[in-house]
Amino acid sequence: MYIYLNGDIVHVSEAVISPFDHGYLYGMGVFETFRTYDGHPFLLRDHLMRLSAGMKEMNIEADLDEEKIRHIITDLLNKNGLKDAYCRLNVSGGPGEIGLKTSPYEDATVILFQKTLPHSEPLKEKEGEFLNIRRNTPETSERLKSHHYLNNMAAKREIGASMDKEGIFLTGDGHLCEGITSNLFWVKDGELCTPSVETGLLNGITRQFILALSGFLNMPVRVGMYAEVDILKADEIFFTNSVQEIIPVNKLGSTHFPGANGKYVGFFHEQYEKYKRHLNSIEELRKGE
């Protein structure tokens, strides 16, 4: 497998970064994960916007011109012989002296990773599980998709390695927040519900897409602060992320849910299928393009 590293496409066995990279030393790095479908990077513009915002927060400078990134993605897909791929675009501060840096990072390390994914997958159900470990508070005013992943790792260790389970974080105050690697949605009486960003969740691109899609289709939406009991009263529950798309929940605690047979889960899955091979941004959806 090949990766893109600071201007070059290299085999993973030849990829080298500095041990003085502040992404390694101090966690000064942000990343985005997204998928390509038949070579199209779904919602790439939104991913790049969030990545740029995270870089600005960390004082990291790098060229993220959209057309340049699209060419890199295509060239790497061709080199790896892929059309449908998992992509991770990673930007870290780059090498520097040991010690906390206050001036801008001007020599960033930029890496694009890819790995193969199936062309089409059926809806894969998961069981939800409330976590004992609580969601930590963001390092800044809004959670970044950064290298700071210990809270998520500790949560994954709590529920174990099973791919059929997803843990649900509560905040320190006991409000529903998000999954370990996903955002959380449920439907009650035809209304779509999801926790607010004020809980400290990562505002996922797929989360934003589902909310915009609901508005576009005039589906009632409620974003707020919720307790465990609220979601247990739901008609349907699902998780979202940019790689696994729509993830139906068939069980949470001792309560069973429709999972992949849910009416709204099926509806959102159909809509996702409709847009994923051509949409560049959520704004295009709002404009009806």
Side-chain angles (χ1 to χ4, degrees):
M1 192 65 72
Y2 292 85
I3 67 171
Y4 170 89
L5 172 61
N6 289 340
D8 297 309
I9 292 178
V10 298
H11 193 269
V12 292
S13 63
E14 300 173 348
V16 177
I17 63 173
S18 170
F20 292 95
D21 194 302
H22 278 209
Y24 168 70
L25 291 178
Y26 302 109
M28 296 301 293
V30 285
F31 68 98
E32 290 291 321
T33 54
F34 53 91
R35 288 183 66 156
T36 61
Y37 300 90
D38 294 329
H40 173 70
F42 182 49
L43 299 180
L44 177 64
R45 192 168 302 154
D46 297 288
H47 283 286
L48 292 178
M49 287 173 61
R50 185 173 65 172
L51 187 63
S52 294
M55 289 165 52
K56 183 177 181 180
E57 195 75 51
M58 288 192 170
N59 214 8
I60 299 173
E61 299 176 0
D63 181 9
L64 291 185
D65 176 75
E66 183 179 337
E67 287 308 307
K68 174 185 174 181
I69 299 299
R70 287 185 184 278
H71 284 303
I72 292 170
I73 292 168
T74 299
D75 290 346
L76 191 57
L77 286 172
N78 291 336
K79 187 68 173 178
N80 285 319
L82 300 174
K83 286 288 187 180
D84 299 287
Y86 162 102
C87 296
R88 170 170 166 149
L89 181 57
N90 197 96
V91 182
S92 63
E97 297 294 327
I98 294 177
L100 301 184
K101 183 178 173 70
T102 57
S103 57
Y105 289 99
E106 298 177 332
D107 187 22
T109 299
V110 180
I111 306 175
L112 176 64
F113 303 89
Q114 289 180 347
K115 66 180 180 181
T116 185
L117 286 172
H119 178 72
S120 180
E121 297 174 292
L123 282 169
K124 182 174 175 57
E125 297 179 335
K126 289 194 177 185
E127 178 182 339
E129 182 176 316
F130 293 119
L131 293 161
N132 291 316
I133 189 170
R134 297 302 173 102
R135 193 57 165 132
N136 62 351
T137 55
E139 292 87 359
T140 55
S141 59
E142 186 171 328
R143 188 174 301 278
L144 306 179
K145 195 171 180 68
S146 72
H147 291 185
H148 299 254
Y149 253 63
L150 180 57
N151 193 218
N152 306 68
M153 292 290 292
K156 184 60 179 174
R157 291 170 188 152
E158 181 181 320
I159 67 167
S162 172
M163 300 300 292
D164 297 324
K165 287 186 176 182
E166 172 68 325
I168 296 176
F169 279 115
L170 303 177
T171 68
D173 295 329
H175 293 109
L176 293 169
C177 186
E178 62 183 340
I180 299 174
T181 59
S182 63
N183 289 121
L184 178 63
F185 288 91
W186 64 97
V187 178
K188 177 63 178 176
D189 298 329
E191 183 176 59
L192 183 68
C193 303
T194 192
S196 166
V197 292
E198 279 71 35
T199 62
L201 58 76
L202 176 70
N203 191 9
I205 300 302
T206 306
R207 175 183 185 272
Q208 296 175 44
F209 174 70
I210 293 296
L211 290 173
L213 184 62
S214 300
F216 181 69
L217 299 171
N218 296 315
M219 181 179 182
V221 176
R222 182 175 296 180
V223 179
M225 309 295 282
Y226 295 98
E228 292 180 49
V229 65
D230 295 315
I231 196 171
L232 292 172
K233 296 176 182 177
D235 299 317
E236 298 179 35
I237 303 174
F238 60 95
F239 299 108
T240 61
N241 71 31
S242 294
V243 176
Q244 299 176 70
E245 304 173 351
I246 311 294
I247 309 148
V249 175
N250 54 18
K251 185 181 178 185
L252 177 55
S254 60
T255 306
H256 291 266
F257 295 91
N261 295 318
K263 169 186 172 182
Y264 290 96
V265 162
F267 170 75
F268 281 116
H269 178 66
E270 288 175 3
Q271 292 296 314
Y272 207 95
E273 289 290 316
K274 176 181 176 181
Y275 290 104
K276 68 184 186 182
R277 287 179 173 81
H278 70 272
L279 205 65
N280 296 305
S281 71
I282 295 170
E283 187 60 30
E284 288 181 354
L285 173 70
R286 295 191 179 104
K287 292 179 178 179
E289 297 179 10

